[in-house]
Amino acid sequence: MNSIGASLNRAGHAAGNAKVTAVLGPTNTGKTHLAVERLCGHASGIIGFPLRLLAREVYEKVVAAKGAHQVALITGEEKIVPPGARWFLCTMESMPLDREAAFVAIDEAQMGADPERGHVFTDRLLYARGYAETMILGSETIKPLVRKLVPEAEIITRPRFSTLAYAGPRKLSRLPRRTAIVAFTAAEVYSIAEMLRRQKGGAAVVMGSLSPRTRNAQVAMYQSGEVDYLVATDAIGMGLNMDIAHVAFAGLGKFDGKRQRRLRLAEMAQIAGRAGRHQKDGSFGTVQLGAEAHCSFTPEEIEGLEAHSFEPLSQLVWRNSDLDFSNLARLVSTMEARSPRPELVRADDALDLAVLKRLAGEPWVMERAQARLLGERGLHRLWQACGLPDYRKTGVEGQTRLAGRVFRHLTEGKGHLPEAWIAAEIAHLDRVTGDVETLADRIAAVRTWTYVAHRPDWLENPPEWAERTRDLENRLSDALHGALTQRFVDRRTAVLLKDLKAKGVAAAVLIDADGEVAVDGEAIGHLEGFRFTADAQARAGEQRLLLAAAERHLVRELAARSRQLAAAGDGEFALDFEAREQSGLPPRLLWRGARVAVLRKGRDALLPRIEVDRSIAALSPDDRRRVADRLETFVADAAGRVLAPLARLSAGHADVSPPARGLIVQLVAALGVLPRETVAEQMVGLSRTDRQALARCGVRFGPLHVFVPVLLRPEATRWRLALWAVAGELAGLPPLPAPGRVSMAAAAETAADVLLVAGYWRVGNGADAIAVRIDMVDRLARHIHERRDGRVPFMPDPNWAASLGLSQDGLARLLRALGYRPRLVDGAPHFAWAGPRRPASLPAQRRLAVPPDSQFSSDARSVARGNDASPFAVLAVMKGR
């Protein structure tokens, strides 16, 4: 097969007057679609593609039209050939040219100028023919060479369906949606993808080094709209059909394996032409990355790209395919044969030829290659071993070692590779952990063994190993897709950015039982009551997106909650007072456990002002009014219920004396607890009728305090403290006593008035101070009064300390505070009345002069004056009255 443009295909069948058509034009002209239609219109056919990915894509389309039992897929690493297959989709190197086919098509024929793979495309252009029709697809740059090398071809030029316009340079943050950014190194691709993750929510990544399965998954993520940006190498320039509106070049130069050079205009066009699809126009430009100097197109390049006008190719890369396998020297010689025509330039030594020359210098290789027992089969096997693809980019040295070992095994024993060796290599690679680079390297290594498994005579059981390697490659590819997505896609940011730009489309908003808010499946924060809190782990820029999404999507939910609150029963509300110990906030009103308002100073202590939470400001005026009205009703009802004795006191003082009315006013203002010393004047003026009226309202006169016992219960105490703090506009309070606690240590920083409102009497000062609940002090006083006989020493009941929650030392301090001093009687501790010390806080002017004709006993008068009488004499006075 030495003649150029011979009319025989590889099967040796005469093509006769078979039609040869060259369909040429820029990208986005539907050339591949036309070829697939022609393929399906013939009884059989073969199409060669430049990429495994393209072959797989078209294979699936033809399967959908013809059925899987009639369609075959052949690539270096994948072979699906049903027994009755009639239509074959292949990579260019894998085209079965020994098979007769009615239709043959060669895609991207201009790839014949590629230094590395060009000789394969040139060979197919010259020799691959269908017996009924042959179609050559490519750009217009190859048109002159088609006229010369395939003169019988009818050339059809197809215009681009849409226009391609230059959009100039843009910052990365200003790139439009559906943009592909093209870089020429993996480091650049990763860097740009990371920037897009921060600014735009992420990007899909497409590189030639990715496995087809990973590339498909990344492309699908872009095509579905999950991300709006794609970062790729120039791999996207070859046939990947995607919905790209704009192509942005991050650079205009690349390393071609020998040197760093500027892209040729045709290469620029191949990449830029991905923008636009069918009749949808596209644009191209450059992207500015930070302060670095950005690349720029020349005016001539812009004009050529927009007009699709490029300098035609003058030569294609060629390599002799008519090889002589009679001996090793002749095989190398025929590989290095000169081109028969000036339009064909002999390719530089490709990797397979470089490996062959290296191995040819090994004596054992020469011996086995020339062995009579093997004959030409030995050289064929050597050449096949040299043709192993270098997926891992190990270079000539690495490939020589691998090819040498493969050839050694293929020329020993049964001529098969040892399964133990293949199994060990696959087991070493069978790990789906690691970063992007590690997983990509493992996939490249697995692809080598997948290629080996598809050589029909290299293994004893090829189908089993093909299945195992394919399964491992798929698992590693899925892991790589996951790693790329995790590293370069912030799904939440992507969803929110897309949501902000969507018009008339309602996103799916879910709020779970814990209040977590998710938009289209991505958690954005937490909704507690009416207050939305963005995810604390979100970056500063992302926080704004989260808040904007909440503002947009929670309007209906907040309105619904306002109606629920307005209709809620009192059991759904609560007063939260504990939290303000640390926060310094006023007491809060909770609805279903969430803050909805705070209490502020009102007209008086019993009527605080309700200040709704700022989060409720987002509601409509009607909803805000409903919420405020319901909260005011709750506070009024709850305070009225819990503090009912104060309400009865306020309403029932019309029939008492002026001193009693004065005491009531002070007692209500003090929220139910008063030191006797502060109302001594009123106490002296109380009549028996006054005391009975006050007692009916629940007032008790203790030895040191006037108080309402029911208001010392836990819930009433919480409300009283809250209302007292609000009325006094205090910034903070110490921790509240635990419910049911009758005594506790009194911290030095805890003011006596705070303890008093809480219903406790402070005993002592400093670190050893204690606080005892007022009603328990009253009860103790009653017990002592029943036990003692005047000033005769008495022994305390052992149960007193336990009932008060005090130690024996604490009880002794309490008794001393009440005016009793310890005495030893017959060696046993007793206490005797010694008279209380006048409190330092009692002003001199409050020492009252009790009239001689007073109905009080001398003890009572002494108490009223603050003198030496026993406080328990009051009990006798009360009983006597």
Side-chain angles (χ1 to χ4, degrees):
M1 192 75 62
N2 293 319
S3 60
I4 303 302
S7 60
L8 297 178
N9 67 6
R10 293 297 187 186
H13 298 280
N17 295 322
K19 182 179 180 181
V20 179
T21 306
V23 182
L24 309 179
T27 56
N28 192 21
T29 57
K31 300 187 296 291
T32 303
H33 180 72
L34 175 64
V36 173
E37 283 187 343
R38 298 300 301 158
L39 172 82
C40 294
H42 285 280
S44 62
I46 302 171
I47 302 181
F49 295 96
L51 297 175
R52 172 187 175 186
L53 187 64
L54 278 174
R56 163 61 79 165
E57 179 182 327
V58 176
Y59 165 77
E60 291 173 354
K61 291 180 180 179
V62 178
V63 164
K66 297 293 186 180
H69 64 287
Q70 297 190 93
V71 185
L73 172 68
I74 305 178
T75 69
E77 304 127 81
E78 195 170 13
K79 183 177 291 186
I80 304 173
V81 184
R86 296 163 58 192
W87 296 279
F88 288 73
L89 295 312
C90 320
T91 52
M92 204 64 67
E93 288 84 349
S94 301
M95 291 177 69
L97 298 178
D98 56 348
R99 175 182 289 271
E100 182 179 355
F103 175 82
V104 171
I106 300 102
D107 192 23
E108 304 290 358
Q110 76 279 359
M111 282 286 291
D114 182 73
E116 295 183 7
R117 299 176 63 204
H119 64 90
V120 179
F121 287 79
T122 301
D123 182 78
R124 306 300 184 259
L125 173 70
L126 296 177
Y127 304 125
R129 296 292 183 269
Y131 64 77
E133 182 181 3
T134 300
M135 184 174 286
I136 300 168
L137 312 175
S139 71
E140 287 190 75
T141 57
I142 200 174
K143 185 175 181 179
L145 291 176
V146 170
R147 289 193 184 281
K148 292 180 181 180
L149 299 175
V150 191
E152 69 274 20
E154 176 190 359
I155 297 177
I156 300 174
T157 301
R158 293 174 68 95
R160 181 181 167 94
F161 291 157
S162 59
T163 61
L164 183 65
Y166 177 62
R170 295 186 182 182
K171 293 182 178 179
L172 190 68
S173 60
R174 297 300 181 90
L175 289 175
R177 296 173 61 232
R178 316 312 293 167
T179 289
I181 300 98
V182 180
F184 295 92
T185 66
E188 285 181 313
V189 168
Y190 295 156
S191 175
I192 295 170
E194 183 60 40
M195 287 188 281
L196 284 171
R197 180 186 187 277
R198 295 194 299 268
Q199 298 182 20
K200 302 288 189 178
V205 172
V206 172
M207 299 189 296
S209 60
L210 300 181
S211 68
R213 187 181 179 94
T214 304
R215 274 181 287 174
N216 282 343
Q218 290 286 302
V219 168
M221 187 168 64
Y222 173 82
Q223 286 294 91
S224 68
E226 187 173 341
V227 293
D228 285 325
Y229 297 88
L230 177 75
V231 188
T233 60
D234 51 349
I236 70 162
M238 198 60 65
L240 287 176
N241 295 316
M242 290 175 287
D243 183 17
I244 298 172
H246 179 74
V247 172
F249 288 78
L252 293 172
K254 72 172 185 177
F255 183 74
D256 63 4
K258 296 182 179 179
R259 61 186 177 87
Q260 185 73 23
R261 63 171 177 82
R262 189 175 179 86
L263 296 175
R264 301 183 184 92
L265 189 59
E267 293 171 326
M268 295 178 185
Q270 191 75 30
I271 298 169
R274 294 296 109 191
R277 194 170 186 184
H278 300 299
Q279 297 183 357
K280 185 177 180 181
D281 296 338
S283 61
F284 69 97
T286 56
V287 60
Q288 299 174 344
L289 300 174
E292 300 177 3
H294 68 277
C295 56
S296 60
F297 291 97
T298 66
E300 293 77 16
E301 289 169 340
I302 295 172
E303 181 180 357
L305 291 170
E306 291 183 331
H308 312 298
S309 176
F310 315 114
E311 184 178 348
L313 296 174
S314 59
Q315 289 182 318
L316 296 180
V317 176
W318 174 88
R319 189 169 77 178
N320 184 24
S321 58
D322 189 10
L323 304 179
D324 186 349
F325 286 93
S326 60
N327 60 61
L328 185 55
R330 289 183 180 178
L331 175 61
V332 174
S333 176
T334 53
M335 288 284 296
E336 294 180 328
R338 291 186 175 183
S339 162
R341 295 188 58 158
E343 296 87 358
L344 305 177
V345 57
R346 193 179 76 83
D348 295 334
D349 285 356
L351 181 63
D352 53 2
L353 181 56
V355 171
L356 177 64
K357 289 182 176 180
R358 291 285 187 97
L359 290 176
E362 297 287 338
W364 71 270
V365 173
M366 295 183 64
E367 179 182 350
R368 296 195 179 198
Q370 304 298 342
R372 291 184 180 179
L373 183 62
L374 294 173
E376 287 191 3
R377 181 168 174 266
L379 277 177
H380 276 288
R381 289 215 157 185
L382 176 60
W383 179 234
Q384 290 172 352
C386 294
L388 275 169
D390 185 17
Y391 295 117
R392 302 187 72 174
K393 306 301 179 186
T394 58
V396 176
E397 290 293 338
Q399 283 298 102
T400 299
R401 288 193 296 271
L402 177 60
R405 185 170 183 179
V406 168
F407 178 64
R408 183 187 296 275
H409 289 308
L410 292 177
T411 54
E412 293 176 344
K414 296 182 179 180
H416 293 148
L417 299 181
E419 291 192 351
W421 175 41
I422 308 298
E425 294 289 337
I426 292 176
H428 176 70
L429 299 170
D430 195 359
R431 290 170 293 161
V432 295
T433 58
D435 56 19
V436 169
E437 291 80 2
T438 301
L439 290 169
D441 185 65
R442 288 186 194 141
I443 290 173
V446 171
R447 291 179 69 187
T448 299
W449 299 113
T450 302
Y451 180 92
V452 167
H454 282 92
R455 305 283 71 75
D457 57 347
W458 283 19
L459 298 171
E460 188 171 353
N461 188 4
E464 177 186 344
W465 289 106
E467 180 65 27
R468 289 180 61 177
T469 55
R470 181 168 58 251
D471 174 69
L472 177 55
E473 182 180 339
N474 288 344
R475 287 189 287 109
L476 288 172
S477 296
D478 291 341
L480 178 57
H481 172 63
L484 287 169
T485 302
Q486 181 178 13
R487 180 171 172 181
F488 299 125
V489 177
D490 185 335
R491 292 184 184 275
R492 180 167 64 188
T493 300
V495 165
L496 296 182
L497 283 170
K498 188 189 308 178
D499 176 64
L500 286 176
K501 296 172 182 176
K503 295 182 180 179
V505 179
V509 180
L510 296 177
I511 304 173
D512 66 14
D514 295 328
E516 184 177 75
V517 182
V519 176
D520 282 343
E522 294 299 322
I524 65 172
H526 191 81
L527 183 64
E528 185 178 14
F530 295 87
R531 179 182 292 270
F532 174 78
T533 305
D535 185 356
Q537 297 183 352
R539 302 182 301 272
E542 193 182 10
Q543 289 270 354
R544 293 192 293 271
L545 281 176
L546 300 181
L547 293 173
E551 184 177 353
R552 177 177 180 182
H553 292 293
L554 295 180
V555 174
R556 293 183 180 179
E557 175 65 21
L558 294 179
R561 291 193 176 196
S562 71
R563 293 189 292 271
Q564 294 170 14
L565 184 149
D570 286 350
E572 296 186 30
F573 297 94
L575 172 69
D576 177 34
F577 193 40
E578 289 79 7
R580 68 180 299 273
E581 299 155 9
Q582 291 79 25
S583 66
L585 294 174
R588 310 186 304 172
L589 291 178
L590 305 183
W591 173 60
R592 296 177 179 176
R595 187 177 82 187
V596 291
V598 296
L599 301 183
R600 296 291 186 185
K601 184 177 181 180
R603 288 181 300 170
D604 57 51
L606 293 179
L607 292 173
R609 178 170 57 88
I610 308 299
E611 183 181 285
V612 297
D613 195 76
R614 285 183 300 175
S615 59
I616 295 177
L619 299 176
S620 68
D622 289 343
D623 289 337
R624 288 200 301 271
R625 185 175 60 255
R626 278 194 291 266
V627 168
D629 290 347
R630 181 65 186 93
L631 293 176
E632 289 175 359
T633 301
F634 165 72
V635 171
D637 292 348
R641 182 179 63 256
V642 175
L643 306 179
L646 295 181
R648 288 196 297 272
L649 276 172
S650 298
H653 63 265
D655 298 330
V656 296
S657 66
R661 286 198 294 270
L663 180 109
I664 289 172
V665 170
Q666 292 192 53
L667 189 60
V668 171
L671 298 174
V673 180
L674 277 174
R676 288 181 66 106
E677 63 189 40
T678 63
V679 289
E681 184 175 354
Q682 288 85 351
M683 290 285 297
V684 170
L686 294 180
S687 67
R688 179 185 294 274
T689 302
D690 293 334
R691 290 177 178 275
Q692 290 174 347
L694 290 171
R696 284 194 299 272
C697 290
V699 178
R700 180 176 293 176
F701 298 92
L704 299 172
H705 300 87
V706 179
F707 63 99
V708 181
V710 295
L711 296 182
L712 301 184
R713 293 172 181 173
E715 186 63 15
T717 297
R718 293 179 68 252
W719 275 93
R720 289 189 305 104
L721 274 171
L723 296 176
W724 177 76
V726 169
E729 298 182 302
L730 302 182
L733 286 177
L736 299 178
R741 190 76 178 268
V742 296
S743 65
M744 60 183 178
E749 62 272 14
T750 304
D753 55 352
V754 175
L755 292 173
L756 182 64
V757 176
Y760 289 80
W761 179 42
R762 185 187 188 106
V763 177
N765 293 299
D768 60 348
I770 59 174
V772 184
R773 208 168 68 198
I774 290 169
D775 59 337
M776 298 303 293
V777 174
D778 178 60
R779 183 182 300 177
L780 175 65
R782 292 174 184 275
H783 289 320
I784 294 175
H785 180 71
E786 295 170 355
R787 193 176 187 86
R788 64 183 281 268
D789 181 14
R791 293 180 179 268
V792 176
F794 65 93
M795 179 179 291
D797 189 322
N799 294 322
W800 290 352
S803 64
L804 292 168
L806 297 174
S807 64
Q808 291 298 327
D809 179 65
L811 176 62
R813 280 188 284 144
L814 176 59
L815 291 173
R816 283 196 296 270
L818 288 172
Y820 297 92
R821 298 294 178 266
R823 299 284 189 273
L824 284 177
V825 177
D826 297 331
H830 287 62
F831 281 84
W833 171 249
R837 296 176 183 174
R838 180 167 53 85
S841 60
L842 181 63
Q845 61 268 29
R846 289 192 178 178
R847 297 177 60 199
L848 304 178
V850 180
D853 58 348
S854 169
Q855 302 178 54
F856 286 91
S857 67
S858 61
D859 277 350
R861 289 197 300 272
S862 296
V863 170
R865 295 189 184 103
N867 287 333
D868 296 336
S870 165
F872 303 104
V874 176
L875 298 174
V877 171
M878 292 175 65
K879 290 181 178 179
R881 302 287 292 177

